[in-house]
């Protein structure tokens, strides 16, 4: 079969990308571009679109929102202060029992249960109760014990909460925006006081729990830009101050082209001086795809994961909490699992994706691409978002090509990649 090659001209280099086998090929080896990939032809079939499902009655993750409230009022909060525009409430014990019963009745295995909010630790007693219920069932041999994780703002650090974490929780993601000055500008209590000191205490206390995996999530905002704080500054602060790794995401209101601008600003000197830490998470995902030759897919919402609200409503994703039109069913509904299956989507099975050279690399979160119109599902991806994705993928591949054709960068990068992937 003749190779299907997409030609990329970036950073003063020209090379081809094999869209089937993920090979990056110097342009002078084959001497021509394959222009039919840029024409209006169908590149992929329906069979290429389907993700491999988990076995029946098996979920990879259930996100359970135990708190429709938050003790912070972060200035950029997409959840409108933690309640998603709804009444402020906590999951009750009665609802928690229904949640556990639902999981054990309709599924044979759930790999991970993620406690979410609002701020989930406002309802730590219910988190403990749910964990205890699953542990009791695991002890009796009626249901395998899931791994428990939490996403928290890290501002509540009582003895009860630390005991909960020590006894039940394996993974924690703490929201913090970097150095104290910028964190306390963005992440504030209702009275306007910053949250950094409380978060710092929480992280340092959690780090004393030997089995716990702790990471941070920082939101990069216009305030960072105005204060000349880069994403590298955030990473270095979190590493030197707390000794933990994590990731930095762009705040929703930022220009979406900022990702591409950040990529284009990366030079050989930047790569060396930062030991490749300047490369974003998306770059490392693409590198893993190319090296491992493994097709990327969109998040398996309603395939291998679901979200449960404080009221027991079932939604595809926690990003859609508070949107009534995305409620699939309720945990009390006998037909819930049938409705979940009927509402699941094979995101790439559409005419735009099937014509795209980026098909096998594109994936991750489907919300921006397929729920862009007032958070309603669209069968076709958002064209502007797709164009931005393709541009970023081209730039990432160009950086990878630059690294692998540079005798100084290549061995350094291989060592860093081993550190990332092994």
């Amino acid at each position: 079969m003749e190779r299907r090659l997409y030609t990329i001209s970036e950073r003063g280099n020209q090379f081809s990308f094999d869209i089937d086998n993920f090979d990056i090929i110097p342009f002078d080896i084959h001497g021509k571009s394959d222009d039919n990939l840029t024409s209006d032809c169908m590149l992929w079939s329906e069979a290429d679109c389907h993700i491999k499902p988990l076995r029946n009655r098996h979920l990879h993750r259930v996100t359970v929102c135990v708190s429709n409230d938050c003790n912070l009022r972060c200035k950029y909060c997409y959840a409108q202060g933690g309640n998603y525009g709804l009444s402020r409430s906590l999951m009750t014990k009665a609802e928690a029992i229904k949640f556990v019963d639902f999981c054990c009745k309709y599924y044979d295995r759930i790999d991970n249960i993620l406690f979410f909010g609002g701020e989930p630790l406002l309802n730590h007693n219910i988190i403990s109760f749910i964990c205890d219920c699953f542990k009791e069932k695991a002890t009796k041999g009626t249901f395998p014990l899931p791994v428990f994780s939490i996403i928290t703002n890290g501002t509540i650090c009582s003895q009860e909460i630390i005991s909960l974490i020590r006894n039940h929780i394996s993974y924690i993601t703490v929201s913090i925006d970097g150095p104290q000055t910028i964190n306390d500008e963005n992440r504030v209590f209702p009275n306007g006081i910053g949250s950094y000191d409380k978060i710092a205490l929480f992280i340092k206390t959690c780090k004393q729990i030997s089995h716990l995996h702790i990471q941070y999530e920082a939101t990069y905002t216009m305030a960072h830009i105005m204060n000349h704080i880069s994403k590298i500054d955030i990473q270095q602060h979190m590493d030197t101050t707390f000794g933990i790794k994590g990731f930095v995401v762009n705040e929703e209101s930022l220009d979406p082209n900022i990702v591409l601008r950040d990529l284009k600003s990366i030079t050989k000197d930047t790569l060396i001086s930062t030991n490749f830490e300047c490369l974003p998470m998306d770059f490392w995902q693409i590198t893993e795809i190319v090296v491992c030759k493994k097709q990327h897919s969109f998040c398996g919402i309603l395939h291998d994961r679901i979200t449960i609200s404080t009221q027991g409503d079932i939604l595809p994703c926690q990003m859609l909490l508070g949107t009534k039109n995305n409620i699939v069913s309720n945990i009390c509904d006998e037909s819930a699992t049938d409705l979940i299956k009927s509402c699941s989507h094979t995101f790439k099975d559409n005419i735009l994706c099937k014509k795209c050279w980026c098909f096998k690399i594109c994936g991750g979160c489907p919300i921006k691409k397929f729920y862009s119109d007032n958070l309603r599902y669209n069968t076709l991806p958002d064209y502007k978002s797709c164009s931005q994705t393709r541009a970023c993928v081209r730039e990432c591949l160009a950086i990878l090509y630059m690294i692998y054709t540079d005798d100084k960068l290549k061995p350094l990068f291989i060592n860093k990649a081993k550190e990332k992937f092994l």
Side-chain angles (χ1 to χ4, degrees), residues 2-9 14-17 19 27 30-43 355 357:
E2 184 180 358
R3 281 188 165 192
R4 299 193 295 175
L5 304 175
Y6 178 77
T7 298
I8 297 174
S9 298
Q14 192 171 40
F15 59 94
S16 291
F17 178 69
I19 67 170
F27 187 65
H30 59 88
K32 64 181 182 67
S33 64
D34 194 346
D35 292 332
N36 69 328
L37 295 192
T38 62
S39 63
D40 194 35
C41 64
M42 203 70 70
L43 300 174
K355 291 182 177 181
W357 67 270

Side-chain angles (χ1 to χ4, degrees), residues 365-377:
C365 179
I367 301 300
K368 285 185 179 180
K369 284 187 172 62
F370 292 92
Y371 291 83
S372 57
D373 184 17
N374 297 319
L375 292 180
R376 290 182 178 274
Y377 172 68

Side-chain angles (χ1 to χ4, degrees), residues 175-210:
S175 300
I176 181 172
D177 287 351
Q180 183 163 9
T181 52
I182 193 67
N183 180 86
D184 286 354
E185 185 173 337
N186 283 332
R187 305 187 64 79
V188 297
F189 289 96
N191 61 6
I193 294 176
S195 57
Y196 183 90
D197 288 337
K198 290 186 179 296
I199 302 171
L201 173 63
F202 181 83
I203 293 174
K204 291 174 181 177
T205 304
C206 285
K207 283 201 71 183
Q208 297 173 19
I209 302 174
S210 59

Side-chain angles (χ1 to χ4, degrees), residues 41 143-144 166 174 189 201 208 221 237 240-241 255 301 331:
C41 64
F143 196 86
R166 182 177 288 109
V174 180
F189 289 96
L201 173 63
Q208 297 173 19
T221 65
H237 174 81
T240 57
T241 306
D255 180 356
I301 55 177
I331 55 177

Side-chain angles (χ1 to χ4, degrees), residues 276-321:
F276 302 95
E277 290 293 340
C278 59
L279 295 167
M281 181 171 58
D282 290 341
F283 172 87
W284 293 107
Q285 288 177 339
I286 290 172
T287 299
E288 186 175 15
I289 291 166
V290 170
V291 172
C292 299
K293 300 186 182 300
K294 181 177 67 174
Q295 180 174 334
H296 199 19
S297 60
F298 284 104
C299 174
I301 55 177
L302 298 180
H303 283 278
D304 66 1
R305 64 200 69 194
I306 56 174
T307 292
I308 311 295
S309 75
T310 55
Q311 305 300 316
D313 291 324
I314 302 170
L315 297 100
C317 173
Q318 64 265 28
M319 295 293 291
L320 300 174
L321 284 164

Side-chain angles (χ1 to χ4, degrees), residues 69-104:
D69 196 3
C70 186
N71 59 328
L72 292 185
R73 295 296 180 268
C74 300
K75 294 179 181 178
Y76 50 73
C77 181
Y78 79 91
Q80 304 175 52
N83 69 334
Y84 303 93
L86 306 174
S87 61
R88 298 191 180 276
S89 61
L90 303 178
M91 177 175 278
T92 63
K93 187 175 182 179
E95 206 64 49
I97 292 171
K98 293 176 187 176
F99 165 70
V100 175
D101 289 344
F102 166 80
C103 291
C104 298

